[in-house]
C-alpha cells in the first residue's frame, strides 16, 4: 500500500500486523485539510529554490504528492460535514471545481513560463496559501459544533 494512501486513510491491519501506526484520521477533517495544504505549500515553496538539484527536488515533490493525497479525502469529508442538507450538490460543486482547475492549470502554467520553473512553483505555493485561508472558516465552524 502506498504510504500517501495509508496516511490519508489511516491504519490498516494485514496479516495481524499494523502497517502504519501514525494515523491522520485522529485529527478533524478541516484540520487535516489545513495541515495538508500547509505542507503542500511549504514543499512547493522549498522546491522553487532547489534549482537543478534533482534528488532534493524529487523528495520535496514526493512530500507534495503525499500532502495532496492527505488533503483530498479531508476536503471531501469537510464538505460532507459542512453541508449535510445538500451533500450531493456540495460534492458535485467540488468535483466541478476540480475539473475546472484541472483544465485551467495547464493554461496558467503556459502563461507563466516566463517566470521559470521556480517562479511557477512560487505561484502554486501562493495558490495553496489561498486554499489554506479559504479552509480556515471550516476549521472555525467545526470547533463551534
Amino acid at each position: 500500500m502506498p504510504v500517501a494512501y495509508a496516511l490519508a486513510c489511516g491504519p490498516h491491519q494485514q496479516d495481524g500486523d499494523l502497517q502504519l501506526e501514525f494515523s491522520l484520521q485522529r485529527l478533524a477533517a478541516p484540520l487535516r485539510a489545513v495541515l495538508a495544504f500547509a505542507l503542500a505549500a511549504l514543499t512547493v515553496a522549498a522546491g522553487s529554490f532547489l534549482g537543478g538539484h534533482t534528488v532534493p527536488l524529487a523528495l520535496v515533490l514526493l512530500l507534495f504528492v503525499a500532502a495532496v493525497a492527505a488533503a483530498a479525502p479531508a476536503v471531501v469529508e469537510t464538505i460532507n460535514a459542512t453541508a449535510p442538507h445538500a451533500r450531493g450538490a456540495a460534492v458535485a460543486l467540488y468535483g466541478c471545481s476540480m475539473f475546472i482547475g484541472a483544465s485551467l492549470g495547464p493554461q496558467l502554467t503556459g502563461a507563466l513560463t516566463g517566470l521559470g520553473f521556480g517562479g511557477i512553483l512560487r505561484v502554486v505555493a501562493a495558490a495553496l496559501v489561498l486554499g489554506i485561508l479559504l479552509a480556515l472558516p471550516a476549521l472555525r465552524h467545526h470547533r463551534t459544533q
Side-chain angles (χ1 to χ4, degrees), residues 126-140:
L128 287 165
V129 169
L130 177 63
I132 293 168
L133 295 174
L134 291 173
L136 287 177
L139 183 60
R140 210 172 311 124

Side-chain angles (χ1 to χ4, degrees):
M1 161 187 345
V3 173
Y5 178 78
L7 284 173
C9 297
H12 298 280
Q13 293 228 313
Q14 182 177 6
D15 300 330
D17 294 326
L18 187 62
Q19 288 188 344
L20 187 61
E21 292 181 24
F22 180 75
S23 172
L24 292 176
Q25 287 295 93
R26 295 179 189 157
L27 301 174
L31 180 59
R32 279 195 326 260
V34 167
L35 291 175
F37 283 137
L39 177 62
L42 286 173
T43 57
V44 170
S48 72
F49 297 107
L50 290 175
H53 302 289
T54 308
V55 174
L57 182 62
L59 292 174
V60 165
L61 292 179
L62 176 68
L63 285 174
F64 169 74
V65 170
V68 170
V75 169
V76 173
E77 189 177 336
T78 301
I79 290 169
N80 283 334
T82 305
H85 56 283
R87 254 184 210 145
V91 172
L93 184 61
Y94 169 69
C96 178
S97 69
M98 292 283 289
F99 282 112
I100 290 171
S103 299
L104 293 178
Q107 280 77 20
L108 180 61
T109 303
L112 298 174
T113 54
L115 297 176
F117 184 67
I120 292 171
L121 289 182
R122 285 187 281 282
V123 170
V124 171
L128 287 165
V129 169
L130 177 63
I132 293 168
L133 295 174
L134 291 173
L136 287 177
L139 183 60
R140 210 172 311 124
H141 174 74
H142 178 74
R143 286 186 183 166
T144 60
Q145 290 181 344

